[in-house]
Amino acid sequence: MRISLSTGTLFTFPLGKVMRIAREAGFDGVELIINQDFQKVNCRKLIEELAEILPINSIHAPFMPLDGWGGPIDSLERCVELAAGAGIPLVNFHPPSWMGFEIGFWRWLYRVMDFQKEVGRETVIVTLENMPWVGTRFRVNPHILSSTEKLIEFIQERNLYMTFDTTHMGSGKANFINDFYQCYNSGRIRNIHFSDYGHGREHLIPGHGILPLTRFLNHLRSTDYADTLTLELSPEEFPRDERIIVESLREILQYLRRETSLV
């Protein structure tokens, strides 16, 4: 199993520094979130420069508008093209938001019959991420396919793979282990976003929330999961001191390796 660090974990730093921090902490690679740094630049060259520091195990398609990237469909297709050119095996994206009235994106999603063939071009693994429940008094999931059963049915029918996000699933069901097994048994999980959730806050350091994350990792070990586990935390979880950040990430990485090791 490869363990990545999402570059979103430290998005307040330049991408080059994030890569160097991840390398120093001992991660196998990163999940590269396409953000504002990819506006009005040679994206292929930037990715090549970053990959010289540490391997890029996956790309996360942009989830906000970026100059020159078009809408979510164009952005996803461009990410796949960049990944294929750089030998990056996986691209992850968010489903359309019904609350955001992403009707065109929604219709496109349902027109695709085979995502690996039509979008991934049979060279890049394309994954869809489960999304969080939000709100304090009335909790809703503002994205389509919020039901675990409907999500599994969709990805199986459309040859689409999945990025399973623990904090997103845990925001709706604190005891999410059964939902994980439903997704795992579908055979479609290729990436896992790992973080804690609690008190309305997402992407917390393990132990800072309420999710049974150690139990989850132990279950993950029993499945012989052999794809990517991506640590995806909020930058607010860390101080600005780079030395402390590296030490904290190294400690979390040791925890992840210990709880998923078969030794």
Side-chain angles (χ1 to χ4, degrees):
M1 182 174 65
R2 298 178 301 274
I3 301 182
S4 289
L5 178 70
S6 167
T7 58
T9 297
L10 301 172
F11 73 78
T12 54
F13 290 133
L15 278 172
K17 175 171 280 191
V18 176
M19 301 292 286
R20 287 188 287 274
I21 289 174
R23 181 181 63 189
E24 187 176 353
F27 286 87
D28 300 320
V30 302
E31 175 163 288
L32 179 64
I33 294 182
I34 302 298
N35 61 11
Q36 293 90 340
D37 292 341
F38 286 86
Q39 297 177 124
K40 301 177 182 179
V41 297
N42 185 326
C43 297
R44 181 167 294 188
K45 182 178 179 181
L46 177 55
I47 287 175
E48 289 174 354
E49 292 172 351
L50 294 173
E52 290 178 357
I53 303 173
L54 193 66
I56 299 172
N57 291 332
S58 55
I59 287 179
H60 195 309
F63 42 81
M64 61 185 70
L66 299 177
D67 289 345
W69 280 76
I73 303 167
D74 294 329
S75 295
L76 174 57
E77 291 176 342
R78 187 173 180 188
C79 285
V80 169
E81 181 183 353
L82 288 169
I88 299 168
L90 186 147
V91 170
N92 178 53
F93 73 103
H94 289 175
S97 168
W98 56 263
M99 189 175 286
F101 300 105
E102 295 180 310
I103 305 301
F105 186 23
W106 190 337
R107 289 175 176 169
W108 172 85
L109 195 78
Y110 276 85
R111 284 199 302 267
V112 179
M113 302 308 298
D114 186 329
F115 275 86
Q116 304 315 311
K117 182 177 180 180
E118 299 174 46
V119 181
R121 308 299 178 187
E122 298 184 335
T123 57
V124 175
I125 297 169
V126 180
T127 69
L128 184 69
E129 183 176 346
N130 62 293
M131 299 303 290
W133 294 74
V134 297
T136 52
R137 186 176 179 184
F138 301 104
R139 300 190 63 73
V140 298
N141 191 319
H143 294 79
I144 69 168
L145 301 172
S146 58
S147 160
T148 299
E149 291 74 16
K150 290 182 179 179
L151 174 61
I152 292 172
E153 181 181 0
F154 182 87
I155 63 178
Q156 287 180 320
E157 289 179 347
R158 310 290 174 129
N159 192 20
L160 180 58
Y161 291 104
M162 179 182 184
T163 289
F164 183 92
D165 190 300
T166 61
T167 202
H168 289 173
M169 190 63 77
S171 67
K173 301 176 182 179
N175 190 0
F176 63 91
I177 303 295
N178 183 61
D179 289 81
F180 165 72
Y181 271 113
Q182 289 183 62
C183 295
Y184 180 82
N185 290 335
S186 74
R188 310 306 290 183
I189 295 179
R190 291 296 180 272
N191 187 21
I192 293 172
H193 284 172
F194 186 84
S195 63
D196 211 339
Y197 172 86
H199 316 295
R201 297 180 59 215
E202 301 176 20
H203 303 297
L204 304 178
I205 285 176
H208 287 194
I210 62 173
L211 302 184
L213 293 182
T214 298
R215 185 154 61 92
F216 169 76
L217 291 174
N218 296 157
H219 280 289
L220 188 63
R221 177 177 60 204
S222 71
T223 66
D224 294 328
Y225 177 75
D227 290 287
T228 304
L229 177 71
T230 302
L231 182 67
E232 184 183 53
L233 303 176
S234 168
E236 296 177 356
E237 290 289 275
F238 299 97
R240 292 290 299 180
D241 189 305
E242 187 175 330
R243 178 182 56 82
I244 297 176
I245 291 173
V246 171
E247 291 176 357
S248 299
L249 288 173
R250 189 176 289 144
E251 184 177 328
I252 297 169
L253 181 59
Q254 290 173 350
Y255 159 72
L256 293 175
R257 295 200 191 282
R258 181 177 67 249
E259 297 301 333
T260 58
S261 173
L262 292 174
V263 179

